[in-house]
Amino acid sequence: MIIMVIIFLVLLFWENEVNDEVVTSTLEHLHVDYPQNDVPVPARYCNHMIIQRVIREPDHTCKKEHIFIHERPRKINGICTSPKKVACQNLSAIFCFQSETKFKMTVCQLTEGTRYPACMYHYFTTEGFVLVTCDDLRPDTFLGYVK
């Protein structure tokens, strides 16, 4: 009986780990916050969102910078049909798509900490043209923005 309980707990843990990795790898989960999350203390927006969405480097260190886009997912998906197709920096064989309009964003910059979850961020808001790579007419990877 004890062995069955242990096996059940191991399978449950393993299943949650697999599902967590799948969810956290999507562009929408990592970068889209629409409508913008209403954090009671705006200065803690980045700290809250980074923890809530489990945003970190693969080696569990703090990300130096992370960007949240405050736009409808449907509008972000439309970037892949944009005529603004440009060569991606550092990805010579791949094309990037640039949004035709500027999107509102929050930029989170690491100020303290090295190991997740002990990361502290400063934030600023900005607007810019979003750059993405696309896979099957859907944004695949967020590469940054242009002012």
Side-chain angles (χ1 to χ4, degrees):
M1 180 70 158
I2 293 174
I3 292 173
M4 288 175 55
V5 170
I6 292 171
I7 291 171
F8 174 76
L9 291 173
V10 167
L11 289 173
L12 183 65
F13 174 76
W14 182 74
E15 180 180 333
N16 285 341
E17 282 293 309
V18 170
N19 288 340
D20 189 39
E21 291 302 315
V22 170
V23 170
T24 60
S25 67
T26 65
L27 181 133
E28 189 169 333
H29 175 80
L30 291 174
H31 294 283
V32 179
D33 182 30
Y34 182 84
Q36 185 171 351
N37 204 313
D38 191 21
V39 177
V41 180
R44 294 189 182 149
Y45 171 82
C46 288
N47 298 331
H48 171 78
M49 292 298 292
I50 297 279
I51 294 292
Q52 181 187 47
R53 302 228 181 148
V54 191
I55 295 169
R56 62 184 183 225
E57 296 293 349
D59 64 356
H60 298 274
T61 57
C62 303
K63 287 195 79 165
K64 303 264 188 271
E65 182 177 90
H66 192 79
I67 299 167
F68 291 102
I69 306 166
H70 307 298
E71 189 54 71
R72 296 177 189 278
R74 183 175 60 225
K75 193 167 179 183
I76 294 168
N77 287 343
I79 297 171
C80 294
T81 58
S82 169
K84 292 194 174 205
K85 196 173 183 181
V86 297
C88 293
Q89 288 184 337
N90 303 328
L91 300 170
S92 60
I94 300 174
F95 282 103
C96 287
F97 292 85
Q98 180 178 313
S99 62
E100 294 181 67
T101 59
K102 289 185 173 186
F103 293 163
K104 291 181 181 177
M105 295 174 269
T106 298
V107 179
C108 302
Q109 293 179 325
L110 184 66
T111 57
E112 235 179 270
T114 55
R115 280 306 269 174
Y116 182 87
C119 313
M120 299 297 289
Y121 291 86
H122 164 76
Y123 82 100
F124 66 90
T125 58
T126 190
E127 287 189 6
F129 298 101
V130 171
L131 292 168
V132 296
T133 58
C134 296
D135 183 28
D136 295 327
L137 296 178
R138 295 203 66 192
D140 182 53
T141 307
F142 173 76
L143 295 174
Y145 67 96
V146 177
K147 283 199 166 218

